[in-house]
Short mmCIF file of all heavy atoms in Angstrom, two decimals:
data_model
loop_
_atom_site.label_atom_id
_atom_site.label_comp_id
_atom_site.label_asym_id
_atom_site.label_seq_id
_atom_site.Cartn_x
_atom_site.Cartn_y
_atom_site.Cartn_z
N ALA A 1 56.18 111.46 63.22
CA ALA A 1 55.44 110.74 64.27
C ALA A 1 54.27 111.55 64.79
O ALA A 1 53.17 111.02 65.00
CB ALA A 1 56.39 110.38 65.42
N PHE A 2 54.47 112.85 65.00
CA PHE A 2 53.37 113.70 65.46
C PHE A 2 52.27 113.80 64.40
O PHE A 2 51.08 113.73 64.72
CB PHE A 2 53.89 115.10 65.80
CG PHE A 2 54.35 115.24 67.23
CD1 PHE A 2 55.65 114.94 67.58
CD2 PHE A 2 53.47 115.66 68.21
CE1 PHE A 2 56.09 115.07 68.89
CE2 PHE A 2 53.89 115.80 69.53
CZ PHE A 2 55.20 115.50 69.87
N ALA A 3 52.67 113.97 63.14
CA ALA A 3 51.69 114.08 62.07
C ALA A 3 50.89 112.78 61.94
O ALA A 3 49.66 112.81 61.75
CB ALA A 3 52.39 114.41 60.75
N GLY A 4 51.56 111.65 62.06
CA GLY A 4 50.88 110.37 61.97
C GLY A 4 49.90 110.15 63.10
O GLY A 4 48.77 109.68 62.89
N THR A 5 50.30 110.52 64.32
CA THR A 5 49.42 110.36 65.47
C THR A 5 48.17 111.22 65.34
O THR A 5 47.05 110.76 65.59
CB THR A 5 50.17 110.73 66.77
OG1 THR A 5 51.32 109.89 66.90
CG2 THR A 5 49.27 110.58 67.98
N LEU A 6 48.35 112.46 64.94
CA LEU A 6 47.20 113.36 64.76
C LEU A 6 46.26 112.82 63.69
O LEU A 6 45.03 112.86 63.86
CB LEU A 6 47.68 114.76 64.38
CG LEU A 6 46.60 115.82 64.17
CD1 LEU A 6 45.79 116.02 65.44
CD2 LEU A 6 47.21 117.14 63.70
N THR A 7 46.81 112.29 62.62
CA THR A 7 45.98 111.74 61.55
C THR A 7 45.17 110.54 62.03
O THR A 7 43.99 110.39 61.69
CB THR A 7 46.87 111.34 60.35
OG1 THR A 7 47.63 112.46 59.93
CG2 THR A 7 46.02 110.84 59.20
N ILE A 8 45.79 109.68 62.83
CA ILE A 8 45.09 108.51 63.37
C ILE A 8 43.92 108.93 64.25
O ILE A 8 42.84 108.35 64.21
CB ILE A 8 46.08 107.63 64.16
CG1 ILE A 8 47.06 106.94 63.19
CG2 ILE A 8 45.35 106.60 65.01
CD1 ILE A 8 48.22 106.26 63.87
N VAL A 9 44.13 109.96 65.05
CA VAL A 9 43.09 110.41 65.99
C VAL A 9 41.90 111.03 65.27
O VAL A 9 40.75 110.80 65.63
CB VAL A 9 43.69 111.40 67.00
CG1 VAL A 9 42.59 112.06 67.84
CG2 VAL A 9 44.69 110.70 67.92
N ILE A 10 42.17 111.83 64.24
CA ILE A 10 41.07 112.54 63.58
C ILE A 10 40.38 111.69 62.50
O ILE A 10 39.29 112.04 62.06
CB ILE A 10 41.54 113.87 62.95
CG1 ILE A 10 42.54 113.62 61.82
CG2 ILE A 10 42.16 114.76 64.02
CD1 ILE A 10 42.95 114.87 61.08
N ALA A 11 41.00 110.59 62.09
CA ALA A 11 40.43 109.76 61.02
C ALA A 11 38.99 109.33 61.29
O ALA A 11 38.15 109.39 60.38
CB ALA A 11 41.32 108.55 60.77
N PRO A 12 38.63 108.90 62.53
CA PRO A 12 37.24 108.49 62.77
C PRO A 12 36.23 109.61 62.56
O PRO A 12 35.06 109.35 62.26
CB PRO A 12 37.25 108.03 64.23
CG PRO A 12 38.66 107.70 64.51
CD PRO A 12 39.47 108.67 63.71
N PHE A 13 36.67 110.86 62.72
CA PHE A 13 35.75 111.99 62.59
C PHE A 13 35.70 112.54 61.18
O PHE A 13 34.97 113.49 60.91
CB PHE A 13 36.18 113.09 63.57
CG PHE A 13 36.29 112.63 64.99
CD1 PHE A 13 37.53 112.33 65.54
CD2 PHE A 13 35.16 112.46 65.77
CE1 PHE A 13 37.64 111.89 66.85
CE2 PHE A 13 35.26 112.01 67.07
CZ PHE A 13 36.50 111.73 67.62
N LEU A 14 36.48 111.93 60.28
CA LEU A 14 36.51 112.40 58.89
C LEU A 14 36.09 111.30 57.93
O LEU A 14 36.55 111.25 56.79
CB LEU A 14 37.92 112.91 58.54
CG LEU A 14 38.42 114.13 59.33
CD1 LEU A 14 39.83 114.50 58.92
CD2 LEU A 14 37.47 115.31 59.12
N GLY A 15 35.26 110.39 58.44
CA GLY A 15 34.67 109.39 57.56
C GLY A 15 35.39 108.07 57.48
O GLY A 15 35.20 107.33 56.51
N ALA A 16 36.25 107.75 58.47
CA ALA A 16 36.93 106.45 58.46
C ALA A 16 35.90 105.33 58.44
O ALA A 16 34.86 105.42 59.10
CB ALA A 16 37.84 106.32 59.67
N GLY A 17 36.21 104.27 57.72
CA GLY A 17 35.24 103.22 57.48
C GLY A 17 35.11 102.20 58.59
O GLY A 17 35.40 102.48 59.76
N GLU A 18 34.69 101.00 58.20
CA GLU A 18 34.40 99.92 59.13
C GLU A 18 35.62 99.55 59.96
O GLU A 18 36.71 99.34 59.43
CB GLU A 18 33.94 98.68 58.33
CG GLU A 18 33.60 97.48 59.17
CD GLU A 18 32.33 97.68 59.99
OE1 GLU A 18 31.52 98.56 59.63
OE2 GLU A 18 32.17 96.95 60.98
N PRO A 19 35.47 99.46 61.30
CA PRO A 19 36.60 99.06 62.14
C PRO A 19 36.88 97.56 62.01
O PRO A 19 35.96 96.75 61.93
CB PRO A 19 36.12 99.40 63.56
CG PRO A 19 34.64 99.40 63.48
CD PRO A 19 34.29 99.85 62.10
N LEU A 20 38.16 97.23 61.98
CA LEU A 20 38.60 95.84 61.89
C LEU A 20 39.41 95.52 63.14
O LEU A 20 40.44 96.15 63.40
CB LEU A 20 39.46 95.63 60.64
CG LEU A 20 38.81 95.98 59.30
CD1 LEU A 20 39.81 95.81 58.16
CD2 LEU A 20 37.57 95.12 59.07
N LEU A 21 38.96 94.53 63.92
CA LEU A 21 39.60 94.24 65.20
C LEU A 21 40.63 93.14 65.07
O LEU A 21 40.64 92.16 65.84
CB LEU A 21 38.53 93.88 66.24
CG LEU A 21 37.47 94.96 66.49
CD1 LEU A 21 36.53 94.55 67.60
CD2 LEU A 21 38.13 96.30 66.80
N ASN A 22 41.52 93.27 64.09
CA ASN A 22 42.63 92.33 63.99
C ASN A 22 43.63 92.60 65.10
O ASN A 22 43.63 93.67 65.74
CB ASN A 22 43.32 92.48 62.63
CG ASN A 22 43.71 93.92 62.34
OD1 ASN A 22 42.84 94.72 62.01
ND2 ASN A 22 44.98 94.23 62.48
N ASN A 23 44.49 91.64 65.37
CA ASN A 23 45.43 91.75 66.47
C ASN A 23 46.56 92.74 66.18
O ASN A 23 46.90 93.01 65.03
CB ASN A 23 46.03 90.38 66.78
CG ASN A 23 45.05 89.47 67.50
OD1 ASN A 23 44.70 89.70 68.65
ND2 ASN A 23 44.57 88.44 66.81
N TYR A 24 47.12 93.28 67.26
CA TYR A 24 48.29 94.15 67.29
C TYR A 24 48.01 95.56 66.77
O TYR A 24 48.20 96.54 67.51
CB TYR A 24 49.48 93.52 66.55
CG TYR A 24 50.08 92.40 67.35
CD1 TYR A 24 49.98 91.08 66.93
CD2 TYR A 24 50.69 92.66 68.57
CE1 TYR A 24 50.48 90.05 67.69
CE2 TYR A 24 51.21 91.64 69.34
CZ TYR A 24 51.10 90.33 68.90
OH TYR A 24 51.59 89.32 69.66
N VAL A 25 47.63 95.72 65.53
CA VAL A 25 47.35 97.06 65.00
C VAL A 25 45.96 97.03 64.36
O VAL A 25 45.82 96.87 63.14
CB VAL A 25 48.40 97.50 63.96
CG1 VAL A 25 48.15 98.95 63.53
CG2 VAL A 25 49.81 97.36 64.53
N PRO A 26 44.90 97.13 65.17
CA PRO A 26 43.54 97.15 64.60
C PRO A 26 43.38 98.33 63.67
O PRO A 26 44.03 99.37 63.83
CB PRO A 26 42.64 97.25 65.83
CG PRO A 26 43.51 97.83 66.90
CD PRO A 26 44.89 97.32 66.63
N MET A 27 42.51 98.18 62.69
CA MET A 27 42.45 99.14 61.59
C MET A 27 41.07 99.76 61.42
O MET A 27 40.06 99.15 61.79
CB MET A 27 42.83 98.44 60.28
CG MET A 27 44.20 97.79 60.29
SD MET A 27 45.55 98.99 60.35
CE MET A 27 45.43 99.70 58.72
#
């Protein structure tokens, strides 16, 4: 859980692509 959370947070700063504003779990 900690590893997953850290990965989610740093993803935008490591080239994460286009944001998708779908419901519940936006991607």
Side-chain angles (χ1 to χ4, degrees):
F2 271 88
T5 301
L6 181 61
T7 304
I8 289 169
V9 171
I10 65 175
F13 305 101
L14 296 178
E18 180 69 20
L20 302 176
L21 301 185
N22 53 284
N23 285 291
Y24 286 112
V25 185
M27 302 292 290

